[in-house]
Amino acid sequence: MEKSKLTYDGRKDLVEIERHARPPVPTAAPGICQHLVFHTNNDDMAYERRACLNICQQLGLNPSSDLDDQISAEADGIVLKWERHTEFTSYTFIQQNVSDRKNFIPWVERDLGWASVPGKLLVSLLIGIESKRSPVWSNKARFDWGSQKPICSSLVMENTTIIETDLRADQYGYTRYLIKTSSKEATRLGRMLQRLIEIETYGIFCLYASKDAKELGPLLGEAERRLGDIINRLTRESGEPDEAILADLTELSAFHEATTVRSHFRMNASLAYHEIAMRRLKELREERVAGAQRLANFMKRRMNPAARTYTSILRRQEETAQRINRATQLLRGRIEVAIGKQNQELLRSMNARAEAQYKLQKTVEGLSVVAISYYALGILTYMITVFKGNLGGFSVKEVVGMLVPLVFLGVWWSVRKIRK
């Protein structure tokens, strides 16, 4: 049997897909992670890449992966992952074996040229990783929960790891997580860290449309009110011209379409982010810690109402558009009925005009027969006068009088044949 001749060119499409995968970074305790997300929907990717490479140069990191939408660089125990998503760019710093933990300065506070990074900073996440036997971040300034316990605490990774967070921005603007683990599985710990990062990132973007949702509520209410007024005008016999109602309905349709176009992508994108965040929470497989709330419960109570609001707004937009279409069809039907009546009146007038024209034509044809017969008899009179001596005792007038019926019949038959 001939062996398969599979070459690199034959796997080109598959390689193009695989090379864009974003695997998590293996992580071990103790360590520190900072995740930054910039909203850069319309920025130039090449400019963003140059900003990231500049930060790598400032930190002395060597890019080991330099693709179109991601950069991975590392040196001296520091790993930087830059990723370009559909509408945001993320920087993830991970460092293990931090020497000076007490005076540790997060990367965003360092002079690395952050002013050149385009976009608005939406997520600033700081995650400390420590061993249960040798805590290094607990009660430090960056991870001091104060006199109160953290809002959320749960067991993950088969009860080998505890996640703690207060889900509040501290005085430096960071949302803080503290991971206490006894696991030595760096790959598994890296996956769990990636899930936490995605939960926070997609959770923020899920709530990003809340402002649009608040603005759309009154606009939808106005569109529904105007549509109700137009429908009432359609049902009333006020004698208002259909052209005025059609103009208002067209204006309303354009207004509703403009508000829908402005918000449709944002609402659907936020719902997609909500679905991803819920999936990552489920993948954590949290177990409850006595006296503390699970992260999934807090996030669901935080994001589910927003997701339901987005779904409600999208449904209202669709229903309003359908009602506008039905009102347009109703008005179109009424206009078509009016046009039908006008066409019937026009056909009646055309029939009456055709009938009058036909009668006139018949009358003209009769008069034409008389006129032609009269002139024919005149010509015959002149011709008979020539032979007046050979008329067998009849006068010219008598002969002409006898020819009158024949001439009339001949002229009538000729005119009828020509008309046919």
Side-chain angles (χ1 to χ4, degrees):
M1 181 182 296
E2 185 180 357
K3 294 184 179 180
S4 174
K5 296 181 180 179
L6 183 62
T7 63
Y8 177 81
D9 291 337
R11 296 181 290 117
K12 185 175 181 181
D13 292 340
L14 179 59
V15 171
E16 288 295 325
I17 296 174
E18 292 297 330
R19 71 197 289 263
H20 288 84
R22 296 184 171 96
V25 178
T27 309
I32 188 76
C33 172
Q34 183 170 43
H35 181 70
L36 306 172
V37 175
F38 295 86
H39 187 233
T40 56
N41 192 20
N42 296 319
D43 292 306
D44 184 12
M45 184 183 296
Y47 182 75
E48 296 174 11
R49 286 172 51 80
R50 288 195 298 270
C52 176
L53 292 174
N54 179 59
I55 293 175
C56 292
Q57 184 178 5
Q58 295 289 331
L59 291 173
L61 303 180
N62 301 317
S64 58
S65 175
D66 189 0
L67 304 177
D68 291 338
D69 60 350
Q70 57 181 297
I71 296 175
S72 179
E74 56 183 316
D76 299 329
I78 301 176
V79 178
L80 168 61
K81 285 184 63 178
W82 174 85
E83 296 178 352
R84 181 63 164 87
H85 296 259
T86 303
E87 54 179 338
F88 65 88
T89 299
S90 67
Y91 290 79
T92 304
F93 297 88
I94 299 177
Q95 182 177 0
Q96 300 177 15
N97 300 320
V98 182
S99 57
D100 189 3
R101 302 181 186 94
K102 182 177 181 181
N103 299 316
F104 171 77
I105 300 177
W107 289 273
V108 74
E109 297 181 18
R110 305 180 191 182
D111 186 13
L112 300 177
W114 291 108
S116 63
V117 176
K120 178 182 178 182
L121 181 62
L122 290 184
V123 179
S124 181
L125 188 61
L126 193 64
I127 303 176
I129 307 168
E130 65 182 14
S131 173
K132 289 182 178 180
R133 296 181 180 179
S134 303
V136 295
W137 299 111
S138 298
N139 300 323
K140 295 294 190 298
R142 299 283 180 178
F143 297 95
D144 184 10
W145 310 125
S147 58
Q148 298 180 353
K149 293 183 178 180
I151 293 177
C152 296
S153 182
S154 56
L155 289 166
V156 296
M157 295 175 57
E158 298 175 352
N159 298 337
T160 61
T161 304
I162 298 177
I163 300 174
E164 294 181 353
T165 179
D166 62 352
L167 291 171
R168 293 193 184 98
D170 64 1
Q171 57 180 337
Y172 306 102
Y174 308 128
T175 300
R176 300 165 296 167
Y177 283 81
L178 183 58
I179 299 175
K180 302 177 181 179
T181 184
S182 59
S183 174
K184 302 297 183 180
E185 301 178 74
T187 303
R188 191 177 181 187
L189 189 61
R191 290 199 302 268
M192 189 269 295
L193 179 64
Q194 183 69 22
R195 290 190 184 104
L196 287 179
I197 289 173
E198 291 178 353
I199 289 169
E200 185 66 24
T201 301
Y202 294 128
I204 291 296
F205 273 91
C206 171
L207 301 174
Y208 195 61
S210 298
K211 182 179 179 181
D212 293 335
K214 293 178 181 178
E215 294 177 354
L216 281 175
L219 296 178
L220 277 173
E222 180 184 355
E224 292 169 348
R225 179 189 59 78
R226 291 171 59 182
L227 180 59
D229 293 341
I230 291 175
I231 293 175
N232 289 334
R233 289 160 61 188
L234 282 172
T235 56
R236 290 198 304 264
E237 294 295 338
S238 59
E240 184 178 5
D242 292 337
E243 290 79 4
I245 300 177
L246 181 61
D248 292 342
L249 190 58
T250 303
E251 182 182 356
L252 174 60
S253 179
F255 170 78
H256 180 67
E257 191 66 23
T259 57
T260 301
V261 168
R262 189 183 70 180
S263 61
H264 192 72
F265 169 78
R266 180 72 269 150
M267 296 293 176
N268 281 285
S270 295
L271 287 175
Y273 291 134
H274 172 264
E275 182 180 355
I276 296 174
M278 292 298 105
R279 192 181 305 157
R280 296 298 182 266
L281 286 168
K282 186 177 180 180
E283 291 170 355
L284 281 178
R285 294 189 290 273
E286 296 177 273
E287 296 292 337
R288 187 173 181 272
V289 173
Q293 185 179 16
R294 291 189 304 167
L295 179 64
N297 291 343
F298 183 91
M299 287 293 186
K300 288 178 181 178
R301 190 166 61 249
R302 183 186 180 192
M303 289 187 289
N304 285 352
R308 285 192 289 268
T309 300
Y310 305 152
T311 303
S312 174
I313 288 177
L314 290 172
R315 186 168 53 248
R316 283 181 65 189
Q317 287 179 336
E318 183 178 359
E319 291 175 353
T320 302
Q322 291 176 354
R323 291 173 59 195
I324 291 175
N325 289 334
R326 288 195 294 268
T328 303
Q329 292 175 0
L330 179 62
L331 181 58
R332 184 184 296 115
R334 200 165 88 170
I335 292 174
E336 288 177 354
V337 170
I339 292 175
K341 290 181 179 179
Q342 292 177 359
N343 291 337
Q344 289 179 357
E345 294 296 330
L346 180 60
L347 288 174
R348 289 194 190 97
S349 63
M350 290 177 64
N351 290 335
R353 191 180 299 112
E355 185 177 358
Q357 187 176 2
Y358 179 73
K359 291 179 179 179
L360 179 61
Q361 183 179 356
K362 297 288 288 183
T363 303
V364 170
E365 288 179 359
L367 295 175
S368 299
V369 171
V370 173
I372 294 172
S373 300
Y374 174 77
Y375 287 110
L377 288 172
I379 295 172
L380 287 174
T381 300
Y382 286 112
M383 293 175 63
I384 294 171
T385 304
V386 177
F387 303 99
K388 61 181 179 179
N390 300 317
L391 297 179
F394 293 100
S395 65
V396 175
K397 291 184 179 180
E398 290 174 343
V399 173
V400 172
M402 289 185 291
L403 291 176
V404 168
L406 296 176
V407 172
F408 266 102
L409 287 173
V411 173
W412 173 80
W413 180 81
S414 300
V415 172
R416 180 171 180 175
K417 186 175 182 181
I418 292 173
R419 181 166 58 85
K420 288 184 177 180

